[in-house]
Amino acid sequence: MAEAVLGKDWEDRAANGLAFLRRRITGDYQVDEFGFDQELTEEVLLTLLRPLAEKYFRIEVRGIENIPTEGGVLVVANHSGVLPLDALMTQWAIHDHTPGHRHLRMLAADLVFVLPVLGELARKAGHTLACNEDAQALLERGEVVGVWPEGFKGIGKPFADRYKLQRFGRGGFVASALRARVPIVPCSIVGAEETYPMLGNAKTLARLLGVPYLPLTPTFPWLGPLGAIPLPTKWTIQFGAPIPTDQHPAEAAEDPMLVFNLTDEVRETIQHTLYRLLVERRSVFF
């Protein structure tokens, strides 16, 4: 009986796989105006991320009930870890843990979209340039939008500055949320900082290569390709209580003092939550 069930399961998987390939070959699939390919994201990207999130980083997701089941919401998170694995893990967390399997639409740096292959994959996964126009359009459409305001300053900071938030810029993400009148959900991520402990930065070589930084870690570049394997740290992703914006009129987005205060509130919320999670953490790896 068990063999029959197992055989039936493999038959279903094979049939689904062949149907997927047929749709890709014939072009029988949909993308939105941003290039988002939902089927490819669910069947390929998230399938690849899932074992990394669940088995390798063993991510504990907290406060997922703070992500609304419908309507626009802006998720603002800390950024760290040399490579933007934290953004991908947040995408997995929101999709796999929200009741409606919501998709996170990230606002990414220009560099992402000029890289060969990676830029196209980012578009297929539903992500777009970190600009106010795209952010507002997605929020007004009722999407979950993610932003990492620290940018390269966050993921490229030295290990000595781990879990110390960098500047959040001028608060463009807050202005977009105010115009769309959607809540802002602070997100604090612990564990990503230690995946690639950045002990140094080959700045001269980085400038020659046209990249923001070139990390020197305990394993990279000394171990060659093996040095690119992240350390198996234990992660926690905490979604905080939503900060409402709908009590303000849409024109409040033009008030620089309000934007500054809301930006500072989001940043302080994330920073305090990081400190609390670090105090609770018993080990980097367990």
Side-chain angles (χ1 to χ4, degrees):
M1 178 67 71
E3 291 181 359
V5 172
L6 186 61
K8 175 63 174 173
D9 183 55
W10 278 106
E11 287 179 8
D12 290 342
R13 291 188 183 184
N16 290 335
L18 288 172
F20 172 76
L21 289 174
R22 189 181 305 113
R23 288 192 296 272
R24 307 314 296 184
I25 293 171
T26 60
D28 184 21
Y29 57 89
Q30 302 292 322
V31 297
D32 69 10
E33 61 265 38
F34 289 92
F36 176 43
D37 187 330
Q38 182 172 335
E39 183 183 50
L40 185 69
T41 299
E42 292 178 344
E43 298 295 331
V44 179
L45 176 62
L46 289 168
T47 299
L48 293 174
L49 291 180
R50 200 163 284 122
L52 187 63
E54 295 176 351
K55 305 298 183 183
Y56 195 76
F57 294 133
R58 296 148 291 144
I59 299 176
E60 178 184 358
V61 179
R62 301 181 184 179
I64 196 65
E65 66 277 4
N66 290 317
I67 302 293
T69 55
E70 59 183 18
V73 57
L74 183 67
V75 176
V76 183
N78 60 302
H79 215 8
S80 63
V82 175
L83 294 179
L85 294 176
D86 52 1
L88 295 174
M89 294 302 104
T90 305
Q91 180 179 10
W92 160 83
I94 289 175
H95 178 270
D96 279 23
H97 288 79
T98 52
H101 298 295
R102 303 199 69 182
H103 286 278
L104 178 66
R105 310 294 293 270
M106 299 182 212
L107 304 178
D110 296 7
L111 178 62
V112 172
F113 298 101
V114 300
L115 294 173
V117 181
L118 184 60
E120 182 62 24
L121 284 176
R123 288 287 186 191
K124 292 286 187 182
H127 313 317
T128 187
L129 291 170
C131 66
N132 294 343
E133 292 79 8
D134 284 2
Q136 187 175 344
L138 287 167
L139 290 171
E140 289 176 347
R141 277 182 18 171
E143 302 284 358
V144 182
V145 177
V147 62
W148 284 258
E150 295 173 279
F152 291 121
K153 300 189 302 294
I155 57 174
K157 65 177 176 287
F159 188 64
D161 292 335
R162 60 193 179 280
Y163 299 113
K164 297 176 183 177
L165 291 184
Q166 306 299 296
R167 288 182 61 253
F168 266 24
R170 292 172 291 183
F173 64 92
V174 166
S176 296
L178 283 167
R179 292 189 184 97
R181 309 192 75 189
V182 301
I184 301 171
V185 173
C187 176
S188 303
I189 304 168
V190 164
E193 290 276 18
E194 295 89 359
T195 53
Y196 297 102
M198 186 167 162
L199 305 180
N201 181 9
K203 295 181 180 179
T204 302
L205 187 54
R207 282 195 295 270
L208 290 173
L209 294 174
V211 294
Y213 54 87
L214 192 64
L216 303 175
T217 77
T219 59
F220 182 84
W222 330 113
L223 298 184
L226 290 176
I229 299 175
L231 297 177
T233 54
K234 176 74 171 66
W235 289 34
T236 299
I237 298 179
Q238 170 80 60
F239 296 98
I243 298 172
T245 65
D246 56 359
Q247 74 270 34
H248 303 287
E251 57 268 21
E254 311 306 323
D255 181 348
M257 186 55 66
L258 175 62
V259 170
F260 174 83
N261 288 337
L262 276 175
T263 302
D264 193 54
E265 180 182 353
V266 173
R267 186 181 184 279
E268 288 301 310
T269 300
I270 295 171
Q271 185 69 83
H272 288 315
T273 304
L274 287 174
Y275 288 149
R276 178 174 57 79
L277 292 174
L278 289 170
V279 169
E280 295 174 1
R281 184 169 70 166
R282 293 177 296 172
S283 167
V284 171
F285 297 100
F286 303 104

